[in-house]
Amino acid sequence: RPPGSAEPLNPGSLGLSRLPSRPLFPRLRVRFALRFAPSSSSRRGGRRAAAAATTERRGLFPFGKGDTDGESPFDKGFNLLETAGRIVPQGRLVKTAKEGWRFAWTRMMAELAPQDKTGAYRRPSYKFNGRIGDANFPDEAGRYHLYVGNPCPWCHRAVLAASLRSASPTEVGITRLVDDPTKASRGGWIFGPSPSQRDPLFGCADLRELYDRLSVAVDDPSSSSSGYRGRCTAPLLVDKKSRRIVSNESSDIVRTIGRATFGDSNKERTELYPDDLSSRIDETNEWVYRLLNNGVYRCGFATTQGAYDEASSDVREGLRRCEDALSRNEFLCGERFTEADLRLLPTALRFDGAYGPLFRAGGAHLRLSAKTEYPSVHRWMVRCWEDVPGVKGSVDIADACSSYYRQLFPLNPGGIVPTPVTAEDLGLSS
């Protein structure tokens, strides 16, 4: 009824008795329905019903028809296939959307991981390659400090080296970084979840600022008046006394920690690079890095099918070679844990939680914990986890694997994080 009237509204008097099945003026009809709808709660229901009916018919908004009893309507995106499809063929719409999304994705991937012309990932070189014991970096206790992040397998290498070499905090200090590219000024490493948390040694806000400060301190050619130019990566080994960066290459950090005495040559330490196995370790390190350590990233960061296929084949070849070696020996280079095992282990521990499902390394179905294709590799993982001192406490596997889904936006744009994989899920411990 019109306000103040006891008589029902006669649509004919308003010229609305013969509305077409598809309204010519949908907005006017919505306004009319809202203007003369009953008051209080029923008025709100009428508004929802009228608006939903009109907008669904017109396809103007991303929600389709919903229940008016309080249930949320369905999200139909922009409803392009129903609306624009009447004008533009569906095939052309789909093709345009795919090409537009792929262009944006490849640009984001190139920012995340440098590509060559074939769409294959090319890991950049590192600018700092000093070693403890060099003329510039004396082998002393308490002089060196290591910056590492739990998710990173390259950082995990450095942590394992310090742990297995029994390097105490007074010999080598360690700062644990947090990965959050939304808060970092470059790269992804910060010193804590709160902006007020800073580097305890140099007072820097994030790793980029630390690179700036320690690069400028030695007049490094990579630095300028505007700061350090390059990728701000971890692990990072620094000399606190001279305020210089020693190295940001994980292989060099593992080797230099493996050989350093930190001023105490009498302390018993695990020998990671024994002279009698050095050539065998170097040979194993080369193919483990090429086929597996870097191979899984070449799978995940490939932007063409050909680049992915080549990388995935390399991963399977690397696992086959590991299976062959470990079916004959307890460890990769014999009956003792060496640097070669240390460099493979961080990749193996992250394989089922991240590299297999997210990077599709070797095929999205491949899991080391299945113990079907590579049983000797899995037994080796259990042996390292249970029998090698310091391995268990070196990593939080669930956090490490979850980080790939949280932070690698181009690979997981929806941001959904799967149920974390734990050591128990991998069959490493009961």
Side-chain angles (χ1 to χ4, degrees):
R1 296 179 179 83
S5 172
E7 296 298 325
L9 178 67
N10 181 5
S13 64
L14 299 177
L16 300 176
S17 57
R18 294 185 178 179
L19 287 174
S21 59
R22 183 176 181 85
L24 297 177
F25 304 103
R27 289 190 179 89
L28 286 179
R29 186 173 182 182
V30 171
R31 291 184 186 129
F32 174 81
L34 297 181
R35 174 68 183 84
F36 295 109
S39 59
S40 68
S41 60
S42 60
R43 175 181 295 176
R44 290 193 296 272
R47 288 177 178 175
R48 284 198 300 269
T54 304
T55 55
E56 184 200 18
R57 191 177 295 115
R58 293 286 292 168
L60 298 176
F61 299 101
F63 295 101
K65 183 177 180 181
D67 196 331
T68 59
D69 295 333
E71 182 181 336
S72 298
F74 303 112
D75 186 349
K76 299 174 70 176
F78 293 108
N79 212 15
L80 291 175
L81 294 180
E82 293 185 20
T83 54
R86 300 187 181 98
I87 303 172
V88 181
Q90 174 178 293
R92 188 175 300 173
L93 281 174
V94 173
K95 183 178 180 180
T96 301
K98 288 175 65 176
E99 291 178 350
W101 172 255
R102 177 168 177 77
F103 174 79
W105 176 73
T106 54
R107 294 304 86 212
M108 289 188 290
M109 287 296 293
E111 290 284 341
L112 173 67
Q115 311 280 313
D116 66 14
K117 293 182 179 180
T118 69
Y121 169 54
R122 289 291 180 261
R123 186 173 296 278
S125 60
Y126 297 91
K127 300 180 181 297
F128 302 95
N129 53 7
R131 296 196 176 190
I132 298 173
D134 292 349
N136 293 324
F137 303 110
D139 190 352
E140 301 174 359
R143 180 165 182 149
Y144 300 99
H145 198 82
L146 194 58
Y147 292 88
V148 296
N150 179 71
C152 174
W154 318 106
C155 290
H156 192 185
R157 288 177 168 189
V159 172
L160 282 171
S163 177
L164 294 171
R165 290 287 289 168
S166 303
S168 67
T170 58
E171 292 175 325
V172 179
I174 296 180
T175 292
R176 303 278 180 169
L177 302 167
V178 174
D179 59 321
D180 190 343
T182 64
K183 296 179 181 177
S185 57
R186 191 193 310 161
W189 298 113
I190 58 177
F191 293 104
S194 169
S196 62
Q197 293 179 266
R198 305 179 76 85
D199 172 26
L201 295 181
F202 302 99
C204 300
D206 61 9
L207 197 63
R208 190 274 310 165
E209 190 174 319
L210 182 63
Y211 267 86
D212 278 354
R213 183 166 301 184
L214 300 188
S215 297
V216 173
V218 296
D219 192 27
D220 184 79
S222 299
S223 65
S224 66
S225 59
S226 59
Y228 169 77
R229 297 191 303 269
R231 296 170 71 87
C232 302
T233 59
L236 182 69
L237 181 66
V238 305
D239 181 347
K240 297 184 293 183
K241 189 173 182 178
S242 66
R243 300 172 69 87
R244 302 172 69 175
I245 293 175
V246 180
S247 178
N248 62 348
E249 164 53 57
S250 65
S251 299
D252 291 342
I253 293 173
V254 167
R255 183 68 57 86
T256 198
I257 291 178
R259 287 178 166 174
T261 65
F262 306 107
D264 186 357
S265 57
N266 296 321
K267 185 174 181 178
E268 185 177 347
R269 305 178 192 271
T270 301
E271 181 60 66
L272 296 173
Y273 191 72
D275 292 337
D276 60 319
L277 292 175
S278 59
S279 60
R280 188 173 178 182
I281 291 172
D282 288 340
E283 179 186 351
T284 303
N285 284 345
E286 188 280 326
W287 63 259
V288 165
Y289 171 78
R290 176 171 48 85
L291 301 178
L292 292 172
N293 298 147
N294 196 48
V296 295
Y297 281 90
R298 288 165 50 222
C299 287
F301 295 158
T303 55
T304 63
Q305 187 67 51
Y308 166 77
D309 289 342
E310 181 180 351
S312 185
S313 177
D314 283 350
V315 168
R316 298 187 73 88
E317 171 62 16
L319 289 173
R320 186 199 64 76
R321 294 180 69 167
C322 287
E323 179 68 19
D324 180 61
L326 293 169
S327 67
R328 293 180 281 108
N329 300 303
E330 294 285 295
F331 297 99
L332 283 175
C333 295
E335 303 308 311
R336 58 193 294 189
F337 186 96
T338 67
E339 183 185 285
D341 300 281
L342 181 150
R343 289 171 52 141
L344 173 62
L345 188 58
T347 299
L349 292 176
R350 290 162 175 77
F351 196 94
D352 284 16
Y355 302 144
L358 182 62
F359 285 9
R360 305 175 299 279
H365 66 285
L366 191 59
R367 299 294 185 273
L368 300 183
S369 59
K371 298 180 266 188
T372 53
E373 292 186 74
Y374 309 104
S376 299
V377 173
H378 186 264
R379 284 194 295 270
W380 166 83
M381 292 171 61
V382 174
R383 191 176 302 121
C384 292
W385 188 260
E386 292 288 352
D387 300 340
V388 179
V391 169
K392 278 186 181 180
S394 65
V395 65
D396 180 340
I397 296 177
D399 171 74
C401 294
S402 296
S403 173
Y404 286 84
Y405 296 89
R406 292 194 306 267
Q407 309 302 356
L408 297 183
F409 166 76
L411 297 182
N412 186 36
I416 295 175
V417 180
T419 302
V421 171
T422 66
E424 289 73 20
D425 296 326
L426 297 179
L428 302 180
S429 59
S430 57

